[in-house]
Amino acid sequence: MTAPEGDWRLIREEDRPGPMQMALDEVAAETASAEGLATVRTYRWGPSSLTLGYGQRPETVDWEACEQAGVDVTRRRTGGGGIRHDSYGDVAYSIAVPAEDVPGKLLDAYHLLCEPVLDAFSRLGIDADYVEEAVPELYHPACYLRELHPAHDVVAAGRKVAGNAQYRTRDAVVQHGSLSFSVDAESHLAAFADPPVDAETFRDRVVGMDELADVDRADAVAAVEESLAVWVEAGIGSDGTGSFDRDGSWTDDELERARELVREKYRDDDWVRSRPGDRE
């Protein structure tokens, strides 16, 4: 499979706070809807951040521990459990594309949009693939400790190395995900209120790329970006249909819209600290 034919841009890794990164994913979806311009990007969490799943209960978070550790807390538009995104150990990506360009069936869409993720691991010499069968959950509030699902959970050496999630608007699909470069189990678990597992158990479930290959973080980011770029370029029509900017950027209007979304949503307590049905 290759990327859908169309107009694309690659935005290379940017270091921004978690609320801004989630706002930019939403902005990319708005751009895909309004202009037909699809976006692939990598990004870094600065500072380290905890993203809650869309419907996650706020009492599962150790808010005081997050504040003391300087961890930003925001809420994603995708479901699932919370993820502590380490600014060093997490390599994040997202893809925002017009909905009409991707399969309507969720599993088919995952398999299409995860193709460059699997290719990135291959480029790094890491044997990674979807988990073959479901693995029971260890702790529901934490995404990495939930049941592993063959549709979107990627494992290497029998442990989870990447997770991916999607949400859809009327006219766009956004998929974002985290690739584990280095695992800090103690810090990850500290973001949650009384998790019933210890750091050793967490490390038995989750693995980082630095354990699997002799690569540094820059190598990992470069592999993800190149895989995204090659995937897009393979889908550009041989007759010249479609376009791709390998060094894309946000417009001033997009950045202003993202800042607005941060104020109104991704840093707003009503969004972050309450579930959808509990919001005012």
Side-chain angles (χ1 to χ4, degrees):
M1 291 186 286
T2 59
E5 186 177 285
D7 296 320
W8 291 81
R9 64 180 169 179
L10 167 65
I11 298 179
R12 298 179 186 275
E13 187 180 66
E14 298 173 318
D15 190 342
R16 299 181 188 269
M20 186 64 168
Q21 299 292 20
M22 295 299 89
L24 287 168
D25 276 353
E26 186 166 343
V27 166
E30 292 177 351
T31 297
S33 297
E35 303 176 22
L37 175 62
T39 300
V40 291
R41 71 184 186 109
T42 57
Y43 53 95
R44 186 170 187 165
W45 308 85
S48 296
S49 300
L50 174 67
T51 64
L52 306 183
Y54 184 68
Q56 186 176 346
R57 293 184 292 115
E59 59 267 28
T60 60
V61 177
D62 190 329
W63 297 95
E64 182 177 355
C66 288
E67 183 176 358
Q68 290 177 351
V71 173
D72 257 346
V73 183
T74 189
R75 189 178 290 270
R76 307 186 305 272
R77 289 188 62 178
T78 49
I83 306 173
R84 185 192 184 279
H85 307 275
D86 184 80
S87 60
Y88 172 75
D90 188 297
V91 175
Y93 80 94
S94 70
I95 302 171
V97 60
E100 65 184 11
D101 292 344
V102 298
K105 291 184 178 180
L106 183 63
L107 184 60
D108 292 341
Y110 267 123
H111 284 181
L112 172 64
L113 299 181
C114 282
E115 190 173 55
V117 175
L118 296 177
D119 181 65
F121 286 120
S122 179
R123 288 172 183 271
L124 293 167
I126 296 172
D127 183 13
D129 206 346
Y130 302 109
V131 63
E132 291 185 358
E133 57 185 29
V135 178
E137 75 175 26
L138 299 175
Y139 175 54
H140 195 69
C143 192
Y144 282 128
L145 300 178
R146 284 192 167 195
E147 177 186 39
L148 300 188
H149 196 288
H152 47 73
D153 287 317
V154 176
V155 297
R159 292 184 283 169
K160 183 169 180 175
V161 71
N164 311 277
Q166 284 184 26
Y167 72 86
R168 292 177 180 243
T169 67
R170 185 177 66 179
D171 298 313
V173 173
V174 174
Q175 178 170 300
H176 56 195
S178 289
L179 287 64
S180 294
F181 176 71
S182 186
V183 176
D184 183 347
E186 290 82 2
S187 294
H188 197 110
L189 292 172
F192 296 92
D194 300 321
V197 298
D198 59 18
E200 183 178 356
T201 302
F202 188 92
R203 285 188 287 267
D204 285 342
R205 172 61 66 92
V206 185
V207 66
M209 290 180 264
D210 61 351
E211 296 181 56
L212 301 169
D214 183 19
V215 296
D216 60 26
R217 190 180 184 282
D219 295 328
V221 174
V224 176
E225 290 176 349
E226 185 62 18
S227 292
L228 288 167
V230 169
W231 178 71
V232 170
E233 287 172 339
I236 299 298
S238 58
D239 59 354
T241 304
S243 65
F244 180 44
D245 183 354
R246 266 183 171 255
D247 294 298
S249 61
W250 305 106
T251 67
D252 290 343
D253 287 345
E254 286 177 314
L255 290 173
E256 181 53 39
R257 170 61 175 153
R259 288 188 284 267
E260 178 185 3
L261 287 169
V262 169
R263 292 190 300 269
E264 295 180 353
K265 183 184 294 186
Y266 294 104
R267 276 205 188 279
D268 182 73
D269 277 353
D270 191 44
W271 171 265
V272 178
R273 292 183 180 244
S274 60
R275 294 193 297 174
D278 300 331
R279 291 175 194 152
E280 297 179 357

